[in-house]
Amino acid sequence: MSIALETTLAYFRAWTGGDFEAALGHIAPDVVCDGPAGTLTGIDAFRGFMGPFAGSLVSSRLLAAYGDDHTALIMYDAATTLVEQAPGAELHTVTDGMITAIKIIFDRQPFVEARRTKP
Amino acid sequence: MSIALETTLAYFRAWTGGDFEAALGHIAPDVVCDGPAGTLTGIDAFRGFMGPFAGSLVSSRLLAAYGDDHTALIMYDAATTLVEQAPGAELHTVTDGMITAIKIIFDRQPFVEARRTKP
């Protein structure tokens, strides 16, 4: 398996398995995360963004996972307490076994709706 | 290159190159497309969903593309007339050189916002 994908899947299995702090062990301290709301820099900002999502996870399923030496791309289905269908796709850059850059795509719309109707 | 990915990239290059009808030539008539708003079945429903997006495309950039015999996964940045940053990820199932299933992930939120503010 691709070295990058090994790291990505270790990260994915940790946070979807309920151990977000273990997942963060695969994230570089100066990670750059490009998501729907903009770019976050550093693991603390990343924790603030991804932690609540991970903490609300009900179930997940990896749909596809590919990678090569320094890049991995995955897509997954996820259900959270707030939103039942919250799939995501993540492109990771991996350097020396650490995820240094993440581009994440998901639909914010059902989260906005849920926050409106479930205050 | 993976056979599935060849088909996926031919599709991607056609619609991002401005020829959506040529792109549809890579889509199976009974395609099933699972997107943020639900599941669409058949190429006419797919045309109705993807056509307006393709028609509003200003620029695009393929960020990553992987595949194997029957599956391809891509992520891209896109700018449209309505939304400047509209990246997407697509997982394709490819059978006999035709895309038979698509799971597409993108953020609907900026489109909702844009329609609200640019009537």
Side-chain angles (χ1 to χ4, degrees):
Chain A
M1 188 189 292
S2 129
I3 294 172
L5 188 53
E6 273 184 40
T7 302
T8 289
L9 291 182
Y11 165 76
F12 179 78
R13 286 177 187 133
W15 80 258
T16 58
D19 195 345
F20 185 63
E21 287 304 314
L24 288 179
H26 302 284
I27 305 291
D30 57 350
V31 64
V32 175
C33 178
D34 176 11
T39 301
L40 302 169
T41 304
I43 198 163
D44 289 339
F46 180 72
R47 180 191 276 111
F49 160 67
M50 196 68 188
F53 181 72
S56 72
L57 192 73
V58 173
S59 65
S60 67
R61 190 163 67 97
L62 190 65
L63 299 176
Y66 294 96
D68 47 41
D69 285 359
H70 294 291
T71 306
L73 180 60
I74 63 172
M75 184 180 281
Y76 49 87
D77 269 334
T80 74
T81 52
L82 201 62
V83 172
E84 207 171 319
Q85 293 194 32
E90 296 184 30
L91 176 61
H92 293 177
T93 305
V94 179
T95 308
D96 297 332
M98 300 290 276
I99 298 167
T100 56
I102 299 174
K103 185 175 177 78
I104 181 166
I105 299 178
F106 65 94
D107 183 15
R108 286 181 294 176
Q109 182 58 16
F111 289 92
V112 171
E113 283 299 318
R115 286 194 195 99
R116 210 171 269 154
T117 56
K118 298 177 200 171
Chain B
M1 189 190 291
S2 128
I3 294 172
L5 188 54
E6 273 183 40
T7 302
T8 289
L9 291 181
Y11 164 76
F12 179 79
R13 287 178 187 131
W15 81 257
T16 58
D19 194 344
F20 186 62
E21 288 304 313
L24 289 180
H26 301 285
I27 305 291
D30 57 350
V31 65
V32 176
C33 178
D34 176 12
T39 301
L40 302 169
T41 303
I43 198 163
D44 289 340
F46 180 72
R47 179 191 275 111
F49 160 68
M50 196 67 188
F53 181 72
S56 71
L57 192 74
V58 173
S59 65
S60 68
R61 190 163 67 97
L62 190 65
L63 300 176
Y66 295 95
D68 47 40
D69 285 359
H70 294 290
T71 306
L73 180 60
I74 64 172
M75 184 181 281
Y76 50 87
D77 268 334
T80 73
T81 51
L82 201 62
V83 172
E84 207 171 317
Q85 294 195 32
E90 296 184 29
L91 176 62
H92 293 176
T93 304
V94 179
T95 307
D96 297 333
M98 300 290 275
I99 298 167
T100 56
I102 299 174
K103 185 175 176 78
I104 182 167
I105 299 178
F106 65 95
D107 183 16
R108 286 180 296 176
Q109 183 58 16
F111 290 91
V112 171
E113 283 299 318
R115 286 193 196 100
R116 209 171 269 155
T117 56
K118 299 177 198 170

